[in-house]
Amino acid sequence: MLGSWSLGDYGHPQSLRWGYELLRDGFGIPSEKVYVTVFGGDEQVGPDLESLDTWRELGVPVESTRDENWWSNGPVGPCGPDSEIFYWTGDGPPEGRPTTDSRWVEIWNHVHMRLERGEDGGLVPLRQVNVDTGMGLERLVSVLQGRRSVYETEVFEPWMRVLPTLWDLDERSLRIVCDHLRSSVVVIGEGVRPANTGRGYVVRRLIRRVLTVLWRGDESRSLGDLPGELVGSGSVRGFCWRRRGGSLGFSSGGGGVVPA
């Protein structure tokens, strides 16, 4: 995930302008293939006119929505309107709007974190107004490389090329295994180990999902089949994943087996 923060510094309109300039001038994304959405208001909060006016000044087509353009950190806590930037992925000239045509794909979200929701559901202004943006790396790459799917980009190329030679998987299963394995390799390479809590629990769930898919067709499949091209020869390579009495376990160079 790519992103940026403004902690009490520049405002939301500036974030929108910089974001649009980066996409248009920095990455060369055609302005005619960009559409944005803004918060149109509800019973508690009025429409996000500040963002609406900013996009209109920039000459970008904009659509007002409701729930789709409201960000929150949960039932209580910081929240606020957001503005989502979409890219046209269809053939031919752009048509429709983000809420009516799925060929408009979101690539960047700018959150105006200016309110706090209390236990009673009421909203009060935050003492410090912040901006939080998030953009998917793989999705941006797919746009820049003109691919219809992130799995067709060079980011996933080694996985999508090698895994079909190891295991016979349908397209959906192949994508699940590629995505989860790639994420696992990155996290384990950073020193995180499967565990029952915290970051380790994330790795544990990722690996369990991979093996659940693999073992549906053949329980003899093993992550030990993975070549060094995908997992390297370091800490990741030292892990072995196998069944123990019908459950999943992992072991490293120490020889111990830990339930995963």
Side-chain angles (χ1 to χ4, degrees):
M1 175 67 74
L2 305 175
S4 60
W5 277 91
S6 168
L7 302 177
D9 190 5
Y10 57 83
H12 197 237
Q14 184 63 72
S15 175
L16 300 181
R17 292 189 182 94
W18 281 342
Y20 179 58
E21 290 171 4
L22 177 60
L23 294 176
R24 183 193 61 194
D25 305 331
F27 294 134
I29 292 178
S31 57
E32 64 270 16
K33 289 193 173 185
V34 175
Y35 213 123
V36 300
T37 59
V38 300
F39 181 66
D42 61 15
E43 293 81 4
Q44 285 186 291
V45 183
D48 184 8
L49 298 178
E50 189 175 47
S51 295
L52 182 64
D53 291 341
T54 300
W55 287 120
R56 285 175 173 170
E57 289 173 8
L58 291 170
V60 180
V62 57
E63 177 184 15
S64 295
T65 75
R66 189 163 170 167
D67 297 338
E68 292 85 353
N69 283 94
W70 182 264
W71 179 91
S72 64
N73 193 38
V76 299
C79 57
D82 65 45
S83 192
E84 299 173 354
I85 304 175
F86 291 79
Y87 175 80
W88 175 253
T89 62
D91 296 325
E95 56 185 85
R97 304 185 307 276
T99 59
T100 63
D101 196 318
S102 61
R103 289 173 294 180
W104 287 105
V105 175
E106 181 188 348
I107 56 175
W108 205 351
N109 185 21
H110 290 240
V111 178
H112 191 191
M113 200 181 302
R114 59 182 175 84
L115 298 169
E116 182 168 14
R117 190 179 299 279
E119 295 286 351
D120 62 355
L123 295 170
V124 296
L126 283 172
R127 286 177 294 178
Q128 175 180 286
V129 177
N130 306 311
V131 177
D132 174 20
T133 82
M135 174 167 54
L137 170 62
E138 292 86 354
R139 190 168 293 183
L140 175 63
V141 171
S142 68
V143 167
L144 297 181
Q145 295 184 349
R147 307 296 185 182
R148 291 187 178 275
S149 165
V150 298
Y151 297 98
E152 298 174 4
T153 65
E154 62 184 22
V155 177
F156 278 93
E157 188 277 332
W159 296 91
M160 295 295 286
R161 171 172 48 82
V162 173
L163 293 191
T165 68
L166 301 177
W167 307 310
D168 182 18
L169 302 170
D170 59 50
E171 185 68 16
R172 181 174 182 275
S173 297
L174 176 61
R175 290 185 172 190
I176 291 173
V177 171
C178 282
D179 187 36
H180 287 60
L181 271 182
R182 177 172 166 269
S183 299
S184 300
V185 167
V186 171
V187 177
I188 293 174
E190 291 296 318
V192 180
R193 298 295 180 260
N196 294 328
T197 59
R199 297 180 302 168
Y201 187 65
V202 175
V203 181
R204 172 181 173 180
R205 293 294 299 273
L206 287 169
I207 295 298
R208 286 182 67 91
R209 177 65 167 145
V210 169
L211 292 179
T212 297
V213 172
L214 289 181
W215 287 339
R216 283 174 185 164
D218 184 353
E219 291 192 7
S220 68
R221 290 169 176 167
S222 166
L223 299 191
D225 300 334
L226 293 171
E229 177 184 0
L230 298 182
V231 299
S233 58
S235 58
V236 177
R237 192 64 180 168
F239 280 79
C240 173
W241 308 84
R242 63 176 184 271
R243 283 190 181 278
R244 296 187 309 119
S247 62
L248 169 65
F250 78 90
S251 62
S252 58
V257 178
V258 178

